[in-house]
Amino acid sequence: MSSIKRGAKESESEIRIAIIDSKKCLPKKCGLECKTACPVNKTGKVCVTVEKTSKQSEISELLCIGCSICVKKCPFDAIKIINLPHGIPNEVTHRFGPNRFVLYKLPTPRIGSILGLVGTNGIGKTTALQILTKKIKPNLGVFDKEIEWPEIMKRYKGSEIFLYFSKLLEENYKSAFKMQFVDQIPKIISGKIGELIEKKDQRGIGKELTKEFQLDTIIDREVSQLSGGELQRFAILITLLQDVNIFIFDEPTSYLDVKQRLTISNCIRKYTSHNNGENYVILVEHDLSILDYMSDHICCLFGKAAGFGVVSMPYTVKEGINVFLDGFLSKENIRFRDYELNFRQNEITEDKEEIKLEEEDASKKVVRCYPKMKKVISTFTLDIDEGAYTSSQIIVLLGENGTGKTTFVRILAGLDKEIGVELPAMRVSYKPQTITPKFEGTVRDLLNARLNGIWESNILFKQHVFDPMMVAGLFNFEVKNLSGGEMQRVGLVVALGRPADVYLIDEPSAYLDVEQRIITAKAIKKFILLMYKTAFIVEHDFIMATYMADKVIVYEGNPGKDCKANAPTPLVEGMNKFLNLLGITFRKDKQNFRPRINKFESVLDREQKKSGNYFFVEK
């Protein structure tokens, strides 16, 4: 049974759980090594249970001694024995079954405010949201019988979550849920978006929101014809149209550009304040600058992906994000990560000095120029100013969707044969915006075919790209079965592993969680600097963009019509220009140097706009 059934003596000692991945555990194809090697089994007790006819093995957490021999012996890497960090409360909210994922505690929604959830993928955020909307009834860790609501309410009596569940059950609060994977929407519903909006408009704000979300020009289009960004805005709009008391938004900014992210942030706050503000709003978001901007308080989730997840107490927005980045929950006195995530640039310089690279080596510093260009696609025109770039430099492309960023990247990649201009001679490696896996085989097969063992022969690549992206753990996975985040990490490793002078990377943050985004940004930054390469990167996550960028190309104009790509400019100058176009200002957090959006028309916002310093100005 579950570890929550332990006696007092055991609960005071170290608690461990055993997790078995049902997709990886294949008793019919192995020699049952976990069972035969288990030292507890050898004593005559039954700790590991499995037969050739079993669907998967099962491990008794009460008998398990934590030796991890079964973990090492399993040929499919299907078993995890996890020792829970000291201090985790023994408050199991839900467990999916024997040796399956465990969620401890729940987020704490508050009436009239927006609760943000921050944590890595596979840590239980979506499970928590499903519990808070009654899609899943919490079983308190008891999965062999059904737990009734009175017993569940007894567990949470005297807490804020008790008040929430009371309203959910007794007052029959209704909820609206914006799903995480909006690309699945066309498989669920069909029809013209204008008709669907009119049908779902319970509050009479459909026309107003359609205009705010810039969907008014495509109301006659079928749902199946919408792009990722259009599907995202459509899904958020449909959620806001419903007359409910609980609004849930699971990753609302995917596929959206910076301006659209700010628009939906403001709309979520504005259009969820009806019913005299007696509503609950909960969101999951991986873009920290937007999470900071949208939320009123934060709950952090930590644990082991696909193993267990723990929900922290609520924090203020600034404190909540900072303790997550620091890896230490001050209120609970729990350290859940042995390193902090920050945005300091000096560690890259230290790496450069450590491997004794000569920064002034003129033979490695290469300057290239691309000419002035013009690209016309149907009714869309893109004018590109001439520009220059050097080795050990990252140029980030900033602009709204539809302004021609991907068009420019494809030109540099040599994929546009009709451009009619001579580009500088260079080897390029291109990671497209959307990665469609066509390779038949495992990740190991793909990497061997594309990179020929570079992660073993190139120490810098292995240390700064391959290991941080954690691709080795995916070696035995079929490429076609990878999740979006796993495919993104593999795609980045393949792109950066190819021999090239210039690396063209379109939206590296897509599908990645907060921690993976920061690790990815640092991996790209270190690789480009230390290997004397150049990168052009399209990125909408402002924290990633500002951390990586040495220079920026600002795109302006009318999306989808007439746009201009300016020449590369220094980071601060380019960011000031871009933020001026958006009408927002940023400051820098003094603890971990992350960029934070100033509240619109706040004192600091007005002061920075007046001085013309839109970017990273502190009082």
Side-chain angles (χ1 to χ4, degrees):
M1 184 66 72
S2 168
S3 58
I4 67 166
K5 292 295 184 181
R6 300 182 175 196
K9 184 177 180 181
E10 283 181 299
S11 64
E12 292 171 1
S13 62
E14 187 178 68
I15 299 175
R16 69 177 59 89
I17 58 175
I19 302 295
I20 299 175
D21 190 329
S22 59
K23 295 180 180 179
K24 294 181 181 179
C25 185
L26 304 170
K28 295 178 182 179
K29 297 183 179 181
C30 72
L32 309 183
E33 290 89 344
C34 55
K35 177 181 177 179
T36 56
C38 176
V40 178
N41 279 18
K42 291 178 179 179
T43 66
K45 298 178 182 179
V46 183
C47 178
V48 181
T49 306
V50 63
E51 301 296 339
K52 280 291 184 181
T53 56
S54 304
K55 290 185 178 180
Q56 68 173 62
S57 59
E58 187 173 327
I59 297 174
S60 168
E61 292 170 347
L62 290 174
L63 296 176
C64 178
I65 60 175
C67 65
S68 294
I69 292 176
C70 57
V71 176
K72 299 172 184 175
K73 292 290 185 179
C74 178
F76 304 118
D77 193 28
I79 302 173
K80 297 177 184 176
I81 304 296
I82 303 170
N83 293 318
L84 300 183
H86 177 72
I88 287 183
N90 198 15
E91 297 179 21
V92 177
T93 298
H94 189 74
R95 189 162 198 182
F96 287 93
N99 303 137
R100 297 187 65 188
F101 182 83
V102 193
L103 178 66
Y104 294 86
K105 304 185 74 175
L106 278 173
T108 310
R110 293 173 179 170
I111 291 178
S113 68
I114 299 178
L115 168 65
L117 305 184
V118 59
T120 57
N121 287 334
I123 216 71
K125 299 186 296 297
T126 299
T127 299
L129 294 181
Q130 290 177 326
I131 291 173
L132 293 175
T133 54
K134 291 197 300 185
K135 294 181 184 295
I136 292 178
K137 181 195 284 188
N139 61 18
L140 307 184
V142 181
F143 39 78
D144 54 358
K145 67 175 183 178
E146 186 173 356
I147 303 295
E148 300 300 330
W149 275 108
E151 187 175 348
I152 296 170
M153 295 297 286
K154 185 178 179 181
R155 158 71 71 85
Y156 296 108
K157 191 173 182 179
S159 65
E160 287 183 280
I161 199 67
F162 179 86
L163 175 63
Y164 176 87
F165 277 139
S166 297
K167 291 183 178 295
L168 192 66
L169 298 171
E170 297 170 15
E171 300 182 30
N172 198 28
Y173 269 22
K174 296 180 180 179
S175 62
F177 195 114
K178 201 293 293 181
M179 64 190 296
Q180 178 183 8
F181 301 109
V182 293
D183 52 342
Q184 300 295 315
I185 291 177
K187 299 178 182 178
I188 301 171
I189 60 173
S190 60
K192 294 183 178 180
I193 68 168
E195 295 172 357
L196 292 169
I197 290 172
E198 185 177 352
K199 182 180 179 180
K200 289 287 186 179
D201 191 5
Q202 300 174 1
R203 299 171 55 194
I205 57 175
K207 291 184 178 179
E208 183 180 349
L209 269 177
T210 301
K211 187 174 182 180
E212 289 230 38
F213 280 29
Q214 296 179 325
L215 295 173
D216 50 331
T217 58
I218 58 171
I219 57 174
D220 293 325
R221 193 178 297 177
E222 293 284 333
V223 172
S224 59
Q225 298 174 325
L226 300 183
S227 66
E230 290 165 345
L231 279 171
Q232 185 70 271
R233 284 176 281 151
F234 172 69
I236 296 170
L237 185 151
I238 293 295
T239 304
L240 292 174
L241 292 181
Q242 300 178 56
D243 189 12
V244 298
N245 303 94
I246 303 169
F247 293 92
I248 308 286
F249 299 93
D250 199 348
E251 298 189 26
T253 66
S254 303
Y255 302 105
L256 302 183
D257 62 41
V258 176
K259 185 175 181 179
Q260 291 168 345
R261 293 181 185 200
L262 291 169
T263 298
I264 68 103
S265 299
N266 293 327
C267 286
I268 286 175
R269 183 170 293 278
K270 177 181 177 181
Y271 291 101
T272 57
S273 60
H274 64 296
N275 296 328
N276 296 318
E278 296 289 309
N279 296 326
Y280 293 97
V281 184
I282 309 164
L283 63 93
V284 173
E285 181 51 57
H286 294 307
D287 184 334
L288 286 182
S289 59
I290 295 298
L291 180 72
D292 188 345
Y293 183 71
M294 294 177 70
S295 305
D296 295 311
H297 59 291
I298 296 283
C299 282
C300 303
L301 284 86
F302 63 95
K304 184 84 170 179
F308 76 98
V310 184
V311 184
S312 77
M313 298 171 62
Y315 289 82
T316 63
V317 176
K318 178 181 177 180
E319 185 183 13
I321 295 177
N322 283 352
V323 298
F324 175 77
L325 294 174
D326 187 46
F328 177 74
L329 299 174
S330 53
K331 291 182 179 179
E332 289 97 328
N333 193 31
I334 295 175
R335 175 159 292 284
F336 59 89
R337 195 190 316 111
D338 57 7
Y339 56 91
E340 69 172 320
L341 301 171
N342 60 59
F343 303 91
R344 298 183 181 93
Q345 298 281 354
N346 60 346
E347 62 183 51
I348 296 178
T349 305
E350 291 168 1
D351 282 335
K352 192 175 182 70
E353 293 172 351
E354 184 179 335
I355 61 175
K356 299 179 180 179
L357 291 178
E358 299 178 8
E359 191 165 357
E360 302 302 323
D361 188 347
S363 65
K364 294 183 179 180
K365 284 288 185 180
V366 179
V367 179
R368 292 185 176 90
C369 299
Y370 57 84
K372 186 178 180 66
M373 295 177 276
K374 185 173 184 175
K375 179 65 180 178
V376 179
I377 306 174
S378 185
T379 59
F380 173 68
T381 302
L382 174 64
D383 289 303
I384 303 170
D385 282 350
E386 62 181 330
Y389 54 92
T390 69
S391 51
S392 292
Q393 187 177 79
I394 295 178
I395 301 169
V396 172
L397 283 56
L398 296 175
E400 298 179 49
N401 286 335
T403 53
K405 300 184 299 298
T406 298
T407 299
F408 176 57
V409 168
R410 287 178 58 82
I411 291 173
L412 290 182
L415 299 176
D416 190 332
K417 305 301 182 183
E418 302 174 356
I419 191 62
V421 297
E422 185 176 348
L423 295 171
M426 57 185 179
R427 297 174 300 169
V428 299
S429 177
Y430 174 45
K431 188 206 80 71
Q433 181 181 20
T434 303
I435 305 173
T436 305
K438 298 179 181 179
F439 186 85
E440 292 293 333
T442 65
V443 171
R444 184 192 297 273
D445 296 332
L446 173 68
L447 294 180
N448 283 330
R450 298 286 191 272
L451 303 183
N452 195 27
I454 188 176
W455 62 90
E456 295 174 332
S457 60
N458 189 319
I459 297 177
L460 284 178
F461 179 79
K462 176 175 171 50
Q463 180 181 350
H464 296 298
V465 177
F466 186 81
D467 289 345
M469 302 303 286
M470 298 182 291
V471 172
L474 305 175
F475 269 172
N476 296 323
F477 285 41
E478 291 289 324
V479 173
K480 62 183 179 182
N481 294 332
L482 295 178
S483 68
E486 291 166 346
M487 191 69 246
Q488 184 71 268
R489 284 152 48 201
V490 171
L492 285 167
V493 166
V494 170
L496 293 173
R498 294 192 193 107
D501 304 307
V502 177
Y503 292 86
L504 308 169
I505 304 174
D506 203 342
E507 295 197 33
S509 71
Y511 305 107
L512 301 183
D513 62 41
V514 176
E515 191 167 338
Q516 289 170 343
R517 290 182 183 200
I518 296 171
I519 291 171
T520 297
K522 292 193 173 191
I524 294 172
K525 183 85 172 176
K526 288 183 178 182
F527 178 77
I528 295 301
L529 177 67
L530 300 178
M531 298 297 291
Y532 290 96
K533 305 298 183 181
T534 304
F536 286 82
I537 299 176
V538 178
E539 184 51 67
H540 294 305
D541 184 310
F542 209 88
I543 289 181
M544 279 193 72
T546 53
Y547 179 83
M548 291 187 292
D550 297 302
K551 288 189 174 183
V552 297
I553 295 176
V554 178
Y555 286 72
E556 53 187 330
N558 298 314
K561 297 180 181 178
D562 299 304
C563 296
K564 177 184 178 183
N566 291 284
T569 57
L571 176 62
V572 174
E573 179 185 340
M575 285 295 181
N576 267 309
K577 180 180 180 67
F578 181 61
L579 295 178
N580 189 14
L581 293 173
L582 295 177
I584 60 172
T585 57
F586 272 80
R587 67 190 185 279
K588 183 179 288 188
D589 186 86
K590 295 180 180 180
Q591 181 174 330
N592 47 48
F593 304 94
R594 64 183 171 91
R596 304 185 66 195
I597 305 175
N598 293 319
K599 300 297 183 184
F600 186 68
E601 287 299 306
S602 65
V603 173
L604 193 56
D605 182 56
R606 293 197 302 269
E607 287 180 357
Q608 288 185 213
K609 286 177 178 176
K610 185 176 180 180
S611 66
N613 295 313
Y614 286 72
F615 181 64
F616 289 172
V617 177
E618 299 174 4
K619 294 182 68 176

